[in-house]
């Protein structure tokens, strides 16, 4: 290795959005505390007993608000989740049956849960390629899916990687300027190669009059070459909303999206995404179908190689049957478990931090890593950044005497963020989800250990999405479901709690 | 249809989600969680070559498929570099076999080892031997192109005739360049061109022109030839102008190249063969002039066959066939004489690149450095620059640095490939140590990151390359090494004896060479 000192950029300085209010209480809790104190004081004017009568229920109400898990969920949220799960199980809603023999209208195999109202249409982009558009009617969102084949950073010089990463940042910054964009997710899916690709590449092209020796060698190659390789697919799904109060026709929205696709693609290519292309509606349906039923992945490839396509429609992309349990989700031929990120990598990391997590993991049938992004529009981000700066300054100067180290670093971080924002960077909220699919229930334990190792290597902390496996599973599909939109209380209010 | 799933048992209704914790960062920081850090895999278009070194995925590729189907490269050519003995010919053989299975015709033009003759034989192809007493090439024979021009006729035929003329002229000029060791002058080229035109008009169809005929015409000095020498009716001026050319041609006929190039072509390339190999392994290693001349003649002849086939296909007389030419040991002819670079340049540019993939193979870029003039060096580098695919087997680090200047290699790629050129250990354990880089290649296309592969050979190929010491236990290699060593020592002894110097102790085969397990 060369002895010259090279500085490589590190990344970090991500923070959880600050909750307003006192400490872990949140806004509601803080109001509750002050209101409670006032009420208790007023009651104490009557008698001490009255004060106790007022104080105890308020305290009982407030304490669960103040007790929070590592990722900031309070006791009420945990309880709500459990109650919801119990009720769903009691009603048999954790089961899903589709197809002609089920009660589903039309007898189709529709994708379940969050995806069941989604409908797929198709548009044509500037190069006349078909691209699929998924429409989520309840919130009136439209999703397009792009695919790309990154080369990875294995044989590339660090400075080239740094350029790519910087351009990925540009692409993210661009998202906040995309009109109507609600969220984006990048999904990296790995799976063992079904081993039919080589045969499809080689055998159909052998000419009938080919020399016998050439035919023998090629057939031996197809037979003998290991199929122990893995395939990796990268999908980028972008979900657009229609601004409130506007009535827009579906065709207009699709035309609008078609115009944006080339620019989005070129940005992906520049960010090291390799060749990028939009996915047709049929391809999106295939991806979802294979995710729900991993056993058909080879058949899908065969059909694509021999007939040029599967002809699969979105309405048939779901599983025939699925069972949700506390810690797993069984669907057709696979059993899956999904994890959600609680802590982003602490400290500073290199751009290769996710590499171990993205690469194919042995012992899994399919693995999907989904990075979800919620762009924040420029006006809001400027406000947030300034507010963070002010609160950091306030925290640092409010303590008497010595400034705490933590407060000082908080100031530095807030200042750096403000500088970056002022010089043109956007602000984005991101999170990470990971779904692992295996063949049987008993392999799930091993897969969980694998995932624990992977997350440790990537320095992120994740928790299994217990009691909501089905919903979390559909969030890691390239179907444009935004996890923060699926909460009981809208996420704008959520932050206040 | 309700959102979040149907009501009722078996409806798959999902509850509300506790979303994953959202973290906030500026985009210049959030991009550090780079989702493209792991590579997606490897190209799967073309001939299956081997496994990706890091991911184990099968890698397929060859210049023709990458040009026509995958569109990775802008011209269907491959340039391969690597130290000897690392399996370059194995990879090319695999491409030949794979392409021949898809109906492409492999043309191995000038096989020195022979590395490819067995493969071509196995494919049912034609192997043509060239060398002293084995067979010759008549460089004036218009070959397949002439035949095609006659068949096509009309305007297209005339165009092809002119092209044929250019090719023949280029080849004769190359021979003269080799004999002289320097390029030909321009006025000599025009004289030669006039002579060839004169001959072509005078020769009855069905008869080919030979080099002695050219000498005859020069001696006669018909008006047409005289006109280009500006002799102004003065015979002495004419002689002054053509004598150097005359001398050089005599040098070809009576010199080391004479019996190979002065007579009729012994075996013509069969344009309908499934594969063709021109085997020049009968020419000795030391015979640089003849080797270079034979290689150039083979290239010219082979590329002429390709051009003829395409001309016939254009005119609808024959089905379209694609070709894949292999030009091994590219630098041999380059080093034979200065000015040959231009000839090769002309040769490779003269071909109609449509439907012709080519592989140029050499050891190192240093071969280009050895050329005498800067212009030649630049042109030789141009071969590498213009290649669509560059494949490196193990090369020393310094070489890789040089190559990096031409094709753009990252530091990591340089480290990787130079690690393949390191020698094996001494192998005390008794099993023969393999060089670490055997069968490993880095495929570079444009500015993309390289694809490191390991070629896995099949049993069928192993049987085919029986002569190939590369994949068989190394007793044969040792034997061959001993033979070389002995002949080398013998030559030294002979030379020393001639010079009357001290004879080396331990003559050939004597006890001094140690007890080799021969």
């Amino acid at each position: 290795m060369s002895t010259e000192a090279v500085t490589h950029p590190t990344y970090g300085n991500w923070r959880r959005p600050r909750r307003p209010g006192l400490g872990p209480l949140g806004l509601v809790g803080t109001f509750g505390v002050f209101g409670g104190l006032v009420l208790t004081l007023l009651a104490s004017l009557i008698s001490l007993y009255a004060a106790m009568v007022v104080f105890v229920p308020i305290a009982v109400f407030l304490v669960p608000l103040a007790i929070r898990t590592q990722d900031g969920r309070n006791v009420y949220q945990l309880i709500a989740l459990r109650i919801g799960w119990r009720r769903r199980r009691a009603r048999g809603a954790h089961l899903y049956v589709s197809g002609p023999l089920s009660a589903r209208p039309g007898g189709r195999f529709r994708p379940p849960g969050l995806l069941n109202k989604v409908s797929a249409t198709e548009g044509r982009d500037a190069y006349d390629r078909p691209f699929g558009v998924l429409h989520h009617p309840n919130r009136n969102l439209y999703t397009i899916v792009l695919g790309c084949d990154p080369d990875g950073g294995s044989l590339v010089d660090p400075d080239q990687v740094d350029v790519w990463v910087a351009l990925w940042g540009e692409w993210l910054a661009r998202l906040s300027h995309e009109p109507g964009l609600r969220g984006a997710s990048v999904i990296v899916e790995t799976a063992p190669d079904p081993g039919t690709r080589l045969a499809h590449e080689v055998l159909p092209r052998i000419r009938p009059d080919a020399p016998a020796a050439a035919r023998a060698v090629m057939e031996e190659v197809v037979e003998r070459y290991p199929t122990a390789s893995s395939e990796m697919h990268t999908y980028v799904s972008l979900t657009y909303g229609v601004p409130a109060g506007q009535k827009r026709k579906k065709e207009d929205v699709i035309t609008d999206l078609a115009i944006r696709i080339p620019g989005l693609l070129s940005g992906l290519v520049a960010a090291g995404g390799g060749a990028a292309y939009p996915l047709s509606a049929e391809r999106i349906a295939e991806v979802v179908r294979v995710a729900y039923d991993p056993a058909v992945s080879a058949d899908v490839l065969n059909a694509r190689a021999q007939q040029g396509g599967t002809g699969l429609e979105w309405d048939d992309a779901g599983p025939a049957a699925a069972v949700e349990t506390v810690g797993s989700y069984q669907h057709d031929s696979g059993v899956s478990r999904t994890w959600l990120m609680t802590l982003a990598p602490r400290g500073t990391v290199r751009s290769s931090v996710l590499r171990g997590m993205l690469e194919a993991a042995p012992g899994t049938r399919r693995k999907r890593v989904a990075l979800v992004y919620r762009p924040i529009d420029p006006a809001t981000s400027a406000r947030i950044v300034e507010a963070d700066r002010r609160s950091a300054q306030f925290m640092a100067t409010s303590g008497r005497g010595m400034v705490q180290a933590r407060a000082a670093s908080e100031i530095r971080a807030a200042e750096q963020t403000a500088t970056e924002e002022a010089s043109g960077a956007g602000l984005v909220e991101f999170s990470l989800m990971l779904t692992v699919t295996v063949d049987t229930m008993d392999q799930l334990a091993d897969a969980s250990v694998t995932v624990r190792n992977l997350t440790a290597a990537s320095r992120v902390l994740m928790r299994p999405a217990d009691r909501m496996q089905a919903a979390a599973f559909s969030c890691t599909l390239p179907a444009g479901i935004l996890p923060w939109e699926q909460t009981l209380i809208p996420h704008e209010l959520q932050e206040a709690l | 249809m309700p959102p979040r799933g149907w009501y009722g048992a078996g409806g798959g209704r999902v509850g509300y989600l506790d979303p994953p914790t959202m973290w906030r960062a500026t985009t210049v920081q959030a991009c550090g969680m780079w989702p493209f850090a792991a590579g997606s895999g490897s190209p799967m278009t073309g001939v299956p070559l081997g496994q990706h070194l890091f991911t184990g995925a099968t890698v397929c590729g060859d210049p023709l498929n990458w040009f026509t189907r995958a569109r990775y490269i802008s011209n269907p050519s491959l340039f391969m570099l690597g130290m000897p003995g690392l399996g370059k010919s194995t990879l090319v053989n695999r491409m030949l076999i794979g392409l021949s299975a898809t109906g492409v015709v492999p043309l191995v033009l000038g096989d020195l080892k022979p590395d490819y003759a067995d493969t071509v034989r196995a494919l049912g192809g034609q192997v043509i031997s060239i060398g002293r007493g084995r067979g010759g090439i008549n460089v004036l024979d218009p070959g397949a192109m002439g035949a095609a021009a006659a068949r096509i006729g009309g305007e297209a035929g005339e165009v092809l005739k002119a092209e044929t003329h250019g090719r023949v002229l280029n080849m004769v000029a190359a021979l003269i360049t080799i004999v002289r060791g320097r390029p030909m002058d321009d006025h000599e080229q025009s004289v030669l061109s006039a002579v060839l035109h004169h001959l072509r008009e005078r020769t009855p169809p069905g008869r080919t022109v030979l080099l002695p005929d050219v000498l005859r015409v020069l001696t006669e000095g018909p008006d047409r030839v005289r006109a280009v020498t500006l002799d102004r009716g003065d015979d002495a001026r004419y002689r002054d102008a053509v004598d150097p050319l005359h001398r050089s041609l005599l040098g070809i006929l009576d010199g080391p190249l004479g019996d190979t190039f002065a007579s009729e072509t012994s075996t013509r390339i069969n344009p309908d063969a499934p594969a063709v190999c021109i085997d020049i392994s009968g020419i000795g290693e030391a015979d640089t002039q003849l080797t270079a001349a034979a290689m150039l003649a083979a290239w010219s002849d082979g590329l002429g066959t390709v051009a003829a086939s395409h001309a016939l296909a254009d005119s609808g007389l024959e089905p379209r066939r694609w070709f894949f030419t292999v030009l091994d040991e590219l630098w041999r002819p380059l080093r034979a004489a200065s000015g040959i670079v231009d000839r090769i340049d002309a040769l490779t540019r003269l071909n109609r690149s449509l439907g012709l993939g080519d592989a140029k193979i050499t050891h190192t870029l240093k071969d280009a450095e050895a050329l005498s003039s800067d212009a030649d060096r630049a042109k030789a580098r141009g071969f590498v620059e213009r290649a669509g695919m560059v494949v490196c087997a193990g090369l020393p680090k310094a070489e890789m640095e040089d190559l990096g200047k031409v094709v753009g290699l990252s530091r990591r790629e340089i480290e990787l490939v130079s690690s393949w050129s390191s020698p094996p250990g001494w192998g005390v354990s008794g099993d023969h140590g393999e060089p670490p880089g055997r069968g490993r290649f880095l495929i570079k296309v444009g500015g993309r990151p390289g694809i490191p592969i390991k070629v896995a050979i099949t049993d069928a190929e192993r049987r085919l390359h029986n002569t190939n010491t590369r994949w068989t236990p190394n007793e044969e290699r040792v034997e061959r090494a001993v033979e070389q060593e002995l002949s080398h020592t013998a030559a030294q002894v002979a030379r020393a004896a001639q010079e009357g110097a001290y004879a080396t102790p331990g003559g050939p085969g004597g006890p001094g060479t140690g007890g080799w397990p021969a």
Side-chain angles (χ1 to χ4, degrees):
Chain A
M1 278 312 289
S2 55
T3 49
E4 64 211 31
V6 202
T7 53
H8 290 300
T10 54
Y11 305 88
N13 197 11
W14 22 71
R15 41 205 313 195
R16 217 176 294 160
R18 275 185 54 85
R19 266 186 310 278
L22 285 177
L25 283 163
L27 203 58
V28 173
T30 313
F31 277 119
V33 166
F34 285 116
L37 281 177
V38 170
L39 284 177
T40 315
L41 282 174
L42 288 175
S44 67
L45 294 177
I46 304 166
S47 72
L48 190 63
Y49 178 71
M52 289 302 288
V53 167
V54 173
F55 175 76
V56 169
I58 289 177
V60 167
F61 166 74
L62 286 180
V63 165
L65 271 181
I67 300 174
R68 290 185 182 264
T69 57
Q70 196 172 23
D71 52 333
R73 293 177 301 153
N74 59 36
V75 174
Y76 286 119
Q77 283 167 304
L78 298 177
I79 291 172
L81 184 68
R82 278 165 195 266
I83 291 174
W85 164 245
R86 286 254 172 85
R87 286 174 58 194
R88 280 194 299 132
R89 209 178 45 184
R91 290 181 187 155
H94 64 298
L95 308 171
Y96 178 72
V97 188
S98 69
L101 300 179
S102 70
R104 303 288 79 76
R108 310 289 296 266
F109 298 92
R110 287 189 75 86
L114 297 172
L115 296 171
N116 84 333
K117 277 194 81 168
V118 174
S119 60
T121 47
E122 206 158 66
R124 293 253 164 194
D125 75 343
Y127 300 117
D128 204 36
R129 289 176 295 196
F131 68 94
V133 181
L134 301 178
H135 181 222
H136 305 254
N138 56 324
R139 289 173 189 267
N140 204 13
L141 302 175
Y142 292 87
T143 300
I144 54 171
V145 185
L146 314 175
C148 57
D149 303 314
D151 290 322
S154 54
L155 274 184
V156 189
D157 275 353
D159 45 6
Q160 172 65 58
V161 172
D162 293 338
V163 169
W164 278 342
V165 173
L167 286 164
W168 174 243
E170 300 259 313
W171 197 83
L172 289 178
R174 178 198 173 131
L175 292 183
S176 54
H177 296 280
E178 279 278 300
L181 186 76
R182 293 290 176 77
S185 62
V186 180
I187 291 141
V188 180
E189 183 173 44
T190 52
D193 196 330
T196 52
R197 283 171 66 192
L198 186 61
H200 286 312
E201 166 63 30
V202 175
L203 297 180
R205 293 183 212 288
I206 297 183
R207 292 265 289 265
D209 58 348
R215 180 183 293 276
V217 170
M218 285 298 115
E219 281 169 355
E220 190 182 352
V221 162
V222 169
E223 193 184 327
R224 292 270 300 278
Y225 267 27
T227 53
S229 63
S230 62
E231 47 177 352
M232 182 184 271
H233 304 284
T234 306
Y235 307 108
V236 180
S237 71
L238 295 141
T239 303
Y240 292 87
V242 177
Q246 275 193 29
K247 293 294 277 180
R248 296 189 62 188
K249 289 223 292 286
K250 211 174 191 176
E251 291 76 30
D252 298 351
V253 175
I254 290 174
T255 314
D256 189 19
L257 294 178
I259 295 166
R260 296 187 197 176
I261 283 178
L264 289 165
L265 288 177
S266 64
L268 278 180
V269 172
Y277 47 91
L279 258 65
S280 65
E282 183 190 297
R283 283 291 304 275
I284 299 174
E286 282 166 12
V287 172
V288 173
R289 172 87 178 86
V290 169
Y292 276 116
D293 191 1
V296 300
S297 64
D299 303 342
V300 166
L301 268 180
N302 289 358
R304 226 186 273 160
Q306 284 157 11
Q307 277 88 30
T310 55
L312 189 70
E313 290 174 11
W314 173 260
D315 286 355
D316 287 322
V323 180
E324 186 185 358
T325 63
V326 170
S328 72
Y329 185 51
Q330 299 175 53
H331 42 86
D332 283 4
S333 60
V335 185
S336 297
R337 182 173 289 171
T338 305
W339 283 261
L340 312 174
M341 186 171 81
T342 56
L343 290 183
R346 290 200 53 181
T348 55
V349 295
R350 294 274 196 82
S351 58
S352 58
V353 63
L354 290 180
R355 190 166 157 184
M357 197 190 276
L358 297 170
E359 274 173 352
T364 59
R365 174 61 54 191
R366 293 192 96 75
K367 173 172 70 64
R368 284 194 303 282
V369 178
L371 273 161
V372 288
Y373 294 100
R374 179 169 155 253
I376 299 170
D377 66 89
T380 317
S381 44
R383 210 177 54 235
I384 290 174
V385 166
E386 286 307 314
D388 278 351
R389 264 186 75 206
R390 267 200 305 277
S391 65
Q393 295 277 11
F394 173 76
M395 295 296 273
T397 50
S398 62
R400 276 192 306 273
M402 286 269 294
V403 175
Q404 284 180 333
R406 197 173 276 263
S409 80
E410 193 77 7
I411 287 191
R412 270 201 306 277
E415 289 292 342
Q416 190 185 347
T417 305
T419 316
E420 285 164 1
E421 198 277 337
S423 59
L427 208 57
V428 71
E429 282 188 4
F430 67 93
S431 191
L432 191 129
M433 304 170 84
L434 186 149
T435 297
V436 165
T437 304
V438 291
D439 293 334
T440 58
M441 261 308 200
D442 27 350
Q443 294 172 344
L444 207 52
D446 292 348
S448 301
V449 175
T450 309
V451 168
R452 252 201 308 264
N453 289 335
L454 291 179
T455 52
S458 292
R459 295 172 60 185
V460 296
L461 200 68
M462 301 188 93
R463 61 181 171 96
D466 285 350
R467 297 176 185 80
M468 48 187 181
Q469 290 288 353
F473 181 89
S474 48
C475 287
T476 60
L477 290 173
I481 294 195
L482 309 175
W484 60 87
E485 299 248 353
Q486 307 301 334
T487 51
L488 175 64
I489 302 156
H491 68 273
E492 294 85 357
L493 281 178
Q494 187 102 42
E495 284 164 11
L497 293 180
Chain B
M1 221 190 297
R4 297 193 299 115
W6 282 276
Y7 297 102
R13 192 167 170 74
V14 298
Y16 291 104
L17 196 65
D18 264 351
T21 320
M22 301 299 285
W23 288 70
R24 186 187 288 154
T26 54
T27 49
V28 288
Q29 300 291 348
C31 62
M33 308 272 274
W34 190 45
F36 304 139
S40 247
S42 44
M44 281 284 284
T45 315
V47 178
L49 302 177
Q51 278 78 45
H52 194 286
L53 265 187
F54 302 156
T55 64
T58 300
V59 175
C60 300
D62 62 81
L64 274 168
N65 278 302
W66 280 16
F67 172 67
T68 52
R69 285 170 49 216
R71 306 280 169 92
Y72 293 142
I73 52 182
S74 55
N75 63 337
S77 60
L78 174 148
F79 200 100
M80 193 185 282
L81 304 108
M83 298 308 276
L86 293 178
K88 293 198 296 290
S89 69
T90 308
L91 184 66
V92 174
N93 265 317
R94 166 62 64 79
M95 282 188 189
L96 294 188
I97 293 169
L99 284 171
S100 129
T102 58
V104 177
V105 182
L107 298 178
V108 182
L109 306 176
D111 187 355
L112 280 146
K113 289 267 191 313
D115 276 331
Y116 311 98
D118 290 335
T119 306
V120 169
R121 272 192 205 100
L123 296 175
Q126 182 190 23
V127 179
I128 301 172
S129 284
I130 291 179
R132 288 201 179 83
R134 288 162 184 263
I137 289 186
N138 174 15
V139 290
L140 298 178
D141 183 0
M145 273 173 102
R151 242 181 96 182
I152 293 166
E155 200 177 318
E158 284 306 315
V159 171
L160 196 61
K161 268 199 184 120
E163 230 176 276
T164 316
H165 175 81
R167 197 174 277 282
V168 169
L169 177 64
N170 187 28
M171 194 53 230
V172 179
L175 282 186
I176 289 170
T177 306
I178 288 175
V179 171
R180 286 186 185 176
R182 58 182 171 76
M184 241 173 114
D185 295 330
D186 57 336
H187 62 86
E188 291 184 316
Q189 285 213 48
S190 49
V191 169
L192 195 55
S193 177
V195 171
L196 290 174
H197 273 302
H198 176 83
L199 275 171
R200 210 177 60 194
E201 285 157 12
R202 294 294 172 87
T203 314
R207 218 189 127 248
T208 48
V209 189
L210 298 175
L211 269 183
D213 296 339
V214 177
L215 282 177
R216 203 166 35 78
V217 174
L218 277 180
T219 320
E220 284 169 16
D223 289 345
R224 179 174 190 164
V225 180
R226 283 178 186 268
V228 285
T229 57
L230 299 180
D231 64 332
R232 303 200 177 91
D234 181 352
D235 198 51
R237 276 177 69 98
Y238 170 71
R239 291 291 158 214
D240 286 348
V242 299
D243 276 354
L245 183 63
H246 204 136
R247 264 196 292 274
S248 296
L249 284 170
L250 280 172
I252 294 179
L253 286 179
D254 303 335
L257 311 181
D259 51 359
T260 313
F261 295 102
S263 51
E264 290 279 358
T265 301
S266 48
T267 319
R268 277 193 175 182
I269 293 183
N270 170 13
D272 299 325
V276 177
C277 171
I278 298 182
D279 177 2
I280 55 172
S281 58
I283 303 174
E285 286 273 325
D287 211 339
T288 46
Q289 281 200 348
L290 184 55
T291 307
M295 285 176 79
L296 282 174
W299 295 0
S300 178
D301 207 7
L303 296 173
T305 309
V306 174
S309 163
H310 282 303
L312 287 170
D314 288 341
S315 60
L317 296 172
E318 292 264 343
R320 168 86 58 203
R321 303 172 84 206
W322 287 359
F323 295 87
F324 181 65
T325 56
V326 178
L327 313 179
D328 201 347
E329 304 271 352
L330 183 72
W331 307 111
R332 286 286 188 102
L334 283 190
R335 278 192 301 223
S338 80
I340 283 293
V341 181
D342 288 326
R343 297 288 151 212
I344 295 177
D345 218 21
L347 200 67
T348 49
R349 282 170 189 258
L350 262 180
N351 66 50
R352 305 173 172 208
S353 55
L354 173 76
L356 166 72
D358 73 286
K360 299 189 181 77
I361 308 168
T362 185
H363 290 312
T364 66
L365 271 185
K366 273 220 176 63
D367 299 320
E369 300 301 319
L371 296 176
S372 49
S373 77
D374 280 338
D376 279 2
R377 278 196 288 272
K379 282 187 190 112
R381 279 175 180 275
F383 291 141
V384 186
E385 274 166 8
R386 279 205 305 273
M389 274 168 96
V390 177
V391 178
C392 329
L395 282 170
K397 193 156 177 180
E399 295 286 342
M400 286 302 285
E401 309 269 358
D402 282 352
L403 184 62
K405 288 186 193 118
V406 184
V407 292
L409 294 162
S410 73
R411 288 247 49 97
R412 290 185 194 181
E413 284 167 342
I414 292 175
E415 307 272 343
L416 182 72
V417 177
S418 36
S419 75
W420 295 338
S421 68
S422 53
W426 285 103
V428 183
S429 59
D431 50 351
H432 45 277
E434 277 218 336
R438 175 160 305 163
R440 287 180 171 77
F441 302 92
L442 180 79
I443 302 175
K444 282 289 288 186
V445 170
R448 295 161 179 252
I451 305 159
I453 61 167
K454 175 152 184 37
V455 174
I457 195 166
T458 61
D459 290 343
E461 283 168 299
R462 199 169 282 126
R463 280 194 295 276
L464 221 124
H465 302 301
N466 241 342
T467 55
N468 205 340
T469 52
R470 198 147 307 144
W471 306 93
T472 48
N474 66 351
E475 280 103 20
E476 285 178 53
R477 270 204 358 243
V478 172
E479 267 174 53
R480 189 174 292 196
V482 173
E483 275 169 19
Q484 275 183 2
E485 184 72 69
L486 293 184
S487 60
H488 183 74
T489 324
Q492 270 190 342
V493 172
R495 209 172 31 238
Q498 271 178 0
E499 290 167 5
Y502 306 105
T504 45
T513 50
W516 283 95

